[in-house]
Amino acid sequence: MILVDGNNFLARYFFQLKLLEVDGKKVGGMYGFLRGLYFLVTQFADGDIFVVWDGEKSKERRRQIFADYKNTRLTGSFDESFSHMKSELITVLYDCVGVKQVMMAGYEADDVVAYLSRLGDKVYIVSTDRDFWQLISDKVKICLGSGKVVGPEELQKETGCVNGKEFLYCKALAGDSSDGIPGVKGVGMKRALQIVRSDTVAFHKDIFDRNMLLMELNVPVDDLRVVCKKSDLHGFVTWCMTYRYQGLIEVAEDFLNRLEVRDGRSFPVFRE
C-alpha cells in the first residue's frame, strides 16, 4: 500500500516549479504532482495507491487544544493560489486519472494516513513531514522526496530513537516549530531522548500531555469512503494539452494503465 500525503506532495512541487506558468496561471505544482505520481506507480509495481487530503476544518480539533496550532503556515496570495491548484488537481484526479483519493471532514490527512497504515502488511507513506515518523515500524516506512526510504534502522541512525513511539515522545517534549507547537524550554530532540529514557517525563507532564494530544496521529474511524472512478485517457490528454504538459501526454496511456490494474484490490472497509 502506498499512501501519498496530498498536501505535502503538492506543496513540494508548488514551490519547486513555481515559475512554470501558462497564460499567467501557475501550473508547475500540478505538473510536478502528476509526474511524481507517475514515478510512484512505476516504482511500486504492486499495491494500492491512495492520495490523502486534509478535510474541511481539519485543524479545528487541535486548535481547540492549542489555539496557535499551525498558524505559521501559508497566508495571502500564495495560500489562495495553492488552494485553487489543489481544487483543480483533486478534480482531474477524480474525473480523468482514476487514482483513489481519501478526505474526511474534520480530520487532517496525517490522521487518516495513520489509520490506513494499520490496514496494510507493507506500507509506504510518501511525505517529507516528520510527523509520520512516529508510525515507522517493520511494516511501515516513509518515502522522502529525495527517494530515500526511512525505516526503523534509518530512524535510529538519524534520531537515536529505537521506534516510532519513542520518536513521538521526544517530539512531544521538544515541540515542533513547523506546526507552531512549543516544547519544553531548552529541550531539543537529543535532550528529549535522555529525558524519555531516564523516565523523568513526569517533570514536564503538562507540556508533554498537551503535545501528545496535538502530535499523536489517531483518528476514530468507523468507515471511510474512497473517491474514485474509471480513468479517462481522452479527458486526461485534453486537460494536459490545456496546460501544455507535453511530458505528461507522452506517458499518459502507460500512467493510467498502471493505475487501472490496481482496481478491485482495496480493503473491505472502502466503498468506491
Side-chain angles (χ1 to χ4, degrees):
M1 180 191 289
I2 300 93
L3 303 173
V4 181
D5 176 4
N7 277 48
N8 180 275
F9 204 54
L10 177 58
R12 185 190 314 171
Y13 297 110
F14 179 79
F15 288 107
Q16 284 181 3
L17 303 175
K18 63 183 178 182
L19 298 181
L20 184 59
E21 295 186 0
V22 171
D23 298 329
K25 182 175 181 177
K26 294 184 182 299
V27 297
M30 291 187 294
Y31 177 79
F33 185 102
L34 290 163
R35 284 293 300 190
L37 192 60
Y38 176 61
F39 172 77
L40 290 176
V41 301
T42 55
Q43 183 181 33
F44 297 97
D46 196 17
D48 281 313
I49 292 183
F50 299 90
V51 177
V52 187
W53 302 98
D54 290 339
E56 292 183 19
K57 298 182 178 180
S58 59
K59 301 178 182 64
E60 294 307 308
R61 190 165 57 96
R62 286 184 169 90
R63 282 179 177 165
Q64 290 177 9
I65 300 168
F66 184 65
D68 288 333
Y69 175 70
K70 288 190 177 178
N71 270 345
T72 57
R73 297 303 175 94
L74 286 175
T75 56
S77 59
F78 271 110
D79 187 30
E80 184 177 349
S81 178
F82 181 85
S83 296
H84 284 311
M85 187 178 293
K86 173 183 170 181
S87 179
E88 182 169 356
L89 183 59
I90 289 173
T91 299
V92 76
L93 287 174
Y94 177 71
D95 285 341
C96 302
V97 179
V99 68
K100 297 177 178 70
Q101 298 183 87
V102 190
M103 185 186 300
M104 282 189 66
Y107 290 99
E108 296 182 72
D110 301 30
D111 295 302
V112 179
V113 166
Y115 171 77
L116 294 174
S117 71
R118 301 180 195 131
L119 304 178
D121 296 323
K122 188 176 182 181
V123 179
Y124 292 95
I125 298 171
V126 182
S127 180
T128 59
D129 189 345
R130 286 202 173 199
D131 290 350
F132 290 116
W133 287 27
Q134 64 183 269
L135 304 175
I136 291 174
S137 68
D138 290 336
K139 74 169 189 175
V140 179
K141 296 182 179 180
I142 313 299
C143 293
L144 305 180
S146 60
K148 177 182 176 181
V149 175
V150 181
E153 184 178 342
E154 293 79 10
L155 175 70
Q156 186 167 10
K157 283 182 179 178
E158 186 151 345
T159 69
C161 300
V162 295
N163 54 48
K165 184 64 73 174
E166 190 171 64
F167 176 80
L168 172 62
Y169 292 159
C170 291
K171 285 265 288 182
L173 289 167
D176 186 343
S177 58
S178 66
D179 287 344
I181 303 174
V184 178
K185 188 174 181 179
V187 173
M189 287 295 285
K190 288 185 179 180
R191 175 60 183 144
L193 185 57
Q194 295 172 352
I195 294 172
V196 170
R197 291 184 173 173
S198 64
D199 200 25
T200 56
V201 172
F203 291 109
H204 312 285
K205 187 177 185 304
D206 289 346
I207 292 177
F208 179 81
D209 287 351
R210 180 201 66 193
N211 287 355
M212 282 293 292
L213 289 173
L214 293 170
M215 294 179 175
E216 187 170 21
L217 302 181
N218 186 22
V219 51
V221 178
D222 296 320
D223 182 42
L224 279 180
R225 181 175 178 82
V226 174
V227 178
C228 178
K229 67 179 184 180
K230 292 289 184 180
S231 61
D232 174 8
L233 178 60
H234 176 73
F236 183 56
V237 170
T238 301
W239 180 81
C240 289
M241 289 174 64
T242 302
Y243 296 118
R244 303 167 199 167
Y245 289 157
Q246 187 61 36
L248 280 173
I249 295 173
E250 292 170 357
V251 299
E253 187 170 6
D254 183 50
F255 182 19
L256 301 191
N257 284 341
R258 287 176 182 270
L259 283 169
E260 285 289 344
V261 300
R262 292 174 165 83
D263 273 0
R265 294 191 293 178
S266 302
F267 291 89
V269 70
F270 302 118
R271 298 197 308 268
E272 294 187 10

